[in-house]
Amino acid sequence: MKLWGKIKMKIALYNAKVYVERERFVEAVLVEDRKIKAIGTNEEILATTDIDEKIEFLRNKYPEIIIKQGMEFGMQVHSHMHIFNFGERMCQVKIGDCESIDEMIDRCKKYIDENPESVKHGLYAQGWNQDYFTDSDRIPTRFDLDKISTEIPVVLERICGHILTTNTKTIELLGIDAKSQQYPGGTFEIGEDGYPNGIFAENACNYAKNVIPKADIEQRKKMFIEASEYAAEHGITTVQSNDLGTIVFDYPEYFKFFKDIYNSGEGIIRYRHQISFETVEEFKDYIENGEFKNGKYDEDSLIQLGPLKLFKDGSLGARTALVRGGYKDDPTNNGIEWMSEEVMDEFCKVASDAGIQVATHVIGDGAIEKTIDSYEKTFGEEGNKLRHTLVHCQITDKALLERIAKLGIVVSYQPIFLDYDMHIVEKRCGKELASTSYAFKTLGDLGAKIAYGTDCPVEDCNPFPNIYSAVTRKDSKGFPEGGFYPEECVDVYTAIDAYTEGSAYMEFMEGKKGRIKPGQLADIVVLDKDIFTCDPMEIRDILPVITMIDGKIVYKK
């Protein structure tokens, strides 16, 4: 990605519509030495002396893009994703839009034929969704994947990352059969023939995926840079990303990996670690002897150390989210509890004693309730001073929402999940519970702090379809006409603020970024359409024409 010139001492951006805060806009911004120096009218900003570069937007300064009246600035702080996994997805066979198991098989066979060297040790891809299959909604099994290959291991993961299917070769390499002990925190299914059928769920997925050699560090670097460029091209200035402890596990090597990339100037977006650990003892070691003790991160640097990331349950689509009343379409199933109450309590206590934030994956109401219980046990008179966070927080009733707000717990929502989930949540949970779930507006009205993200690569990291989902509560085809439980629609200001100020708050950076105001970091995004006045149905198609991070233009259309 080309950086458009060196860092300028003073850059003026003018003749624009600059979003400052709800219903407040100005015309121009002055950037000086990585920060926003001033905002105001064109005349006020252009009166500044010694401006190194002036960028004008309404007079076709850049003739290759169409500049419309109403172009405005914003910034996007992404509250939760997995950028390493996204980088992997960009290099894999694409199976996310497959409409049948046979189509998935054919694509994988073609990929193997065309890429024999890259798959010689096995084929891995993520993205299928049985609910998108038009001929059958069954989950594929080893018998399906054996049609792809019986010579190399094949592992195809569902879009949610909580369930996958393998071929028989993978099962053989794992050395498991019907009598084998189940993996901790996960399961593998036994078929009618008395042999594993290739379907793995939750933590068992990691064992299956480990059969195929991981990308080496140079490949990871290439993937990370390409994924970062994609994020910047879509207006993302910061990612809060869970990679260590989920995608890669060599902590010293990958802490150094990130520092090397950013020290060399190759890192273009801000990156905040969300770190997972297998055991409490491992976490303690990193507090006492590792990165939490020895890591040095400048206050305004592009890379930051972030929270402990935990997982309490699975996904709604895979029926592994922990739900209190069982699934309406699978009544004996309450989902999977990844982490016991005792272990969760210990993780939270160790984190709180060390002054470390905790962010936990919770989707089902059972997982949300249990995680709130664990969090609350660590709260003193100052309450949630570490800004412990619920990531996803999908299935809720009114009492849970009120409790979250009362305790000051932060919520990282993914409104784009509605694109798929609105078609299954009533079947899974019933209409009454569905009506109080994905409660973006209600929770905000209760006073809770809310941040937005996409959980990429579960969904694309592009923030604009995500904002569209929050504002319209419609799927990508515009269904349903009035929106899914439309009383939970938020306005554009609220959605933008969740993506900016709310996500910055989640990382204790609301005084440094999240608003286009003097003193804040110069992370600025220029859009090709006025998001505040356009038809809400057009929001999902908005794209940036310029992305500035740390005072540098890192993307220009």
Side-chain angles (χ1 to χ4, degrees):
M1 173 175 286
K2 180 178 179 182
L3 298 182
W4 293 84
K6 63 182 180 179
I7 300 177
K8 304 288 185 179
M9 287 301 295
K10 290 183 182 179
I11 303 174
L13 306 104
Y14 67 104
N15 268 354
K17 179 180 178 180
V18 184
Y19 177 54
V20 180
E21 58 195 4
R22 180 176 288 270
E23 298 182 355
R24 183 188 171 199
F25 299 87
V26 295
E27 291 180 308
V29 179
L30 180 68
V31 172
E32 181 176 357
D33 193 21
R34 303 174 59 208
K35 293 187 178 180
I36 297 166
K37 178 70 173 178
I39 60 175
T41 65
N42 292 330
E43 291 75 16
E44 289 169 338
I45 297 304
L46 294 177
T48 305
T49 59
D50 301 323
I51 294 175
D52 295 285
E53 183 175 358
K54 298 177 183 179
I55 303 177
E56 181 181 8
F57 289 104
L58 298 186
R59 298 175 187 167
N60 278 354
K61 176 75 172 180
Y62 300 115
E64 71 270 29
I65 59 177
I66 298 173
I67 305 291
K68 296 182 178 180
Q69 180 75 30
M71 181 76 69
E72 94 287 339
F73 299 107
M75 62 182 292
Q76 307 290 350
V77 183
H78 201 289
S79 69
H80 175 67
M81 69 179 295
H82 307 268
I83 199 168
F84 268 21
N85 201 354
F86 181 52
E88 286 182 339
R89 283 279 300 278
M90 293 175 74
C91 302
Q92 295 169 359
V93 55
K94 303 299 185 287
I95 59 174
D97 60 347
C98 287
E99 295 184 353
S100 69
I101 292 173
D102 286 341
E103 182 182 0
M104 186 167 68
I105 291 169
D106 290 343
R107 286 194 195 182
C108 291
K109 289 170 68 175
K110 182 180 179 182
Y111 187 85
I112 289 173
D113 290 342
E114 294 176 350
N115 302 274
E117 188 63 24
S118 66
V119 300
K120 63 183 179 181
H121 298 301
L123 173 69
Y124 166 79
Q126 182 183 3
W128 61 264
N129 187 337
Q130 78 278 11
D131 291 313
Y132 292 159
F133 297 158
T134 57
D135 57 343
S136 169
D137 63 356
R138 71 176 178 85
I139 293 175
T141 68
R142 68 182 176 95
F143 300 107
D144 299 304
L145 272 59
D146 283 347
K147 296 176 183 178
I148 298 171
S149 177
T150 58
E151 301 299 318
I152 62 170
V154 178
V155 178
L156 301 182
E157 194 163 13
R158 191 181 184 276
I159 182 63
C160 63
H162 292 269
I163 193 167
L164 59 74
T165 302
T166 75
N167 64 348
T168 303
K169 182 70 173 179
T170 306
I171 297 168
E172 292 171 352
L173 291 171
L174 285 168
I176 59 174
D177 58 27
K179 297 179 182 178
S180 299
Q181 186 174 353
Q182 291 286 344
Y183 295 113
T187 60
F188 55 88
E189 289 188 11
I190 305 301
E192 293 180 0
D193 58 0
Y195 189 78
N197 65 6
I199 299 175
F200 291 70
E202 300 306 336
N203 196 46
C205 295
N206 291 325
Y207 293 86
K209 288 189 287 187
N210 286 341
V211 168
I212 300 174
K214 301 292 185 183
D216 63 32
I217 201 156
E218 283 305 312
Q219 291 171 317
R220 290 280 184 206
K221 180 178 177 181
K222 180 176 181 291
M223 292 175 184
F224 176 75
I225 290 173
E226 289 181 356
S228 297
E229 290 176 349
Y230 181 93
E233 289 167 8
H234 289 80
I236 296 172
T237 59
T238 298
V239 296
Q240 301 183 60
S241 188
N242 178 210
D243 301 303
L244 271 71
T246 54
I247 311 300
V248 292
F249 296 86
D250 189 338
Y251 297 87
E253 182 177 37
Y254 278 95
F255 279 124
K256 182 178 182 299
F257 164 93
F258 281 104
K259 290 176 183 176
D260 287 347
I261 286 177
Y262 282 91
N263 287 338
S264 69
E266 294 175 278
I268 62 168
I269 60 173
R270 298 187 188 277
Y271 181 97
R272 186 181 192 232
H273 285 287
Q274 296 179 338
I275 310 163
S276 298
F277 294 93
E278 289 278 334
T279 64
V280 176
E281 289 68 30
E282 187 179 37
F283 178 41
K284 284 181 180 177
D285 184 54
Y286 268 83
I287 293 172
E288 296 168 0
N289 308 302
E291 197 71 12
F292 286 105
K293 179 180 180 181
N294 302 317
K296 292 181 173 58
Y297 298 85
D298 293 338
E299 189 177 25
D300 293 341
S301 72
L302 291 176
I303 183 171
Q304 297 291 334
L305 200 59
L308 167 69
K309 173 69 191 320
L310 301 177
F311 290 83
K312 188 62 174 178
D313 66 346
S315 77
L316 193 67
R319 295 188 185 87
T320 55
L322 188 66
V323 293
R324 292 181 292 196
Y327 286 94
K328 298 297 183 183
D329 52 358
D330 189 6
T332 62
N333 177 17
N334 285 82
I336 294 177
E337 186 172 6
W338 263 52
M339 185 177 292
S340 71
E341 180 181 340
E342 293 74 23
V343 173
M344 181 89 181
D345 285 351
E346 190 174 3
F347 262 119
C348 291
K349 184 179 188 307
V350 170
S352 293
D353 288 347
I356 296 171
Q357 182 184 24
V358 181
T360 306
H361 168 115
V362 288
I363 288 182
D365 55 352
I368 294 166
E369 181 178 50
K370 287 174 177 285
T371 299
I372 294 172
D373 289 344
S374 293
Y375 283 178
E376 189 175 11
K377 290 172 187 175
T378 69
F379 293 171
E381 291 183 0
E382 295 177 273
N384 187 20
K385 65 178 182 178
L386 295 175
R387 301 184 185 179
H388 290 348
T389 300
L390 301 173
V391 180
H392 310 315
C393 193
Q394 291 172 212
I395 308 304
T396 52
D397 60 15
K398 187 176 180 181
L400 278 176
L401 296 170
E402 290 173 344
R403 190 178 175 201
I404 290 165
K406 181 180 180 181
L407 291 172
I409 295 173
V410 184
V411 171
S412 169
Y413 271 135
Q414 290 69 39
I416 188 64
F417 281 4
L418 273 178
D419 189 67
Y420 164 68
D421 286 1
M422 70 171 65
H423 300 285
I424 65 165
V425 64
E426 290 183 346
K427 298 175 187 176
R428 298 282 196 274
C429 303
K431 289 189 176 183
E432 181 178 356
L433 191 53
S435 71
T436 56
S437 298
Y438 310 85
F440 316 138
K441 187 175 188 301
T442 294
L443 188 58
D445 289 346
L446 287 168
K449 285 290 186 180
I450 294 172
Y452 281 178
T454 61
D455 201 23
C456 179
V458 174
E459 297 288 348
D460 193 291
C461 62
N462 183 348
F464 300 102
N466 202 26
I467 294 171
Y468 160 87
S469 293
V471 172
T472 69
R473 294 181 71 91
K474 296 179 181 180
D475 67 14
S476 58
K477 298 178 182 178
F479 174 87
E481 185 175 347
F484 184 75
Y485 293 101
E487 62 273 15
E488 291 296 344
C489 291
V490 302
D491 63 20
V492 176
Y493 293 113
T494 299
I496 293 290
D497 288 351
Y499 241 128
T500 54
E501 184 186 39
S503 292
Y505 177 88
M506 180 177 158
E507 57 170 328
F508 298 87
M509 289 288 284
E510 70 275 14
K512 295 278 187 178
K513 58 185 177 181
R515 294 291 193 195
I516 307 299
K517 289 184 176 181
Q520 298 233 336
L521 295 167
D523 297 352
I524 296 172
V525 179
V526 185
L527 308 182
D528 64 1
K529 191 172 293 184
D530 187 341
I531 195 170
F532 297 96
T533 61
C534 72
D535 185 328
M537 296 300 294
E538 297 177 1
I539 291 174
R540 63 178 297 108
D541 299 319
I542 290 174
L543 287 171
V545 293
I546 286 178
T547 301
M548 174 186 284
I549 301 175
D550 209 37
K552 290 186 274 191
I553 295 177
V554 300
Y555 169 73
K556 180 170 79 72
K557 184 175 179 181

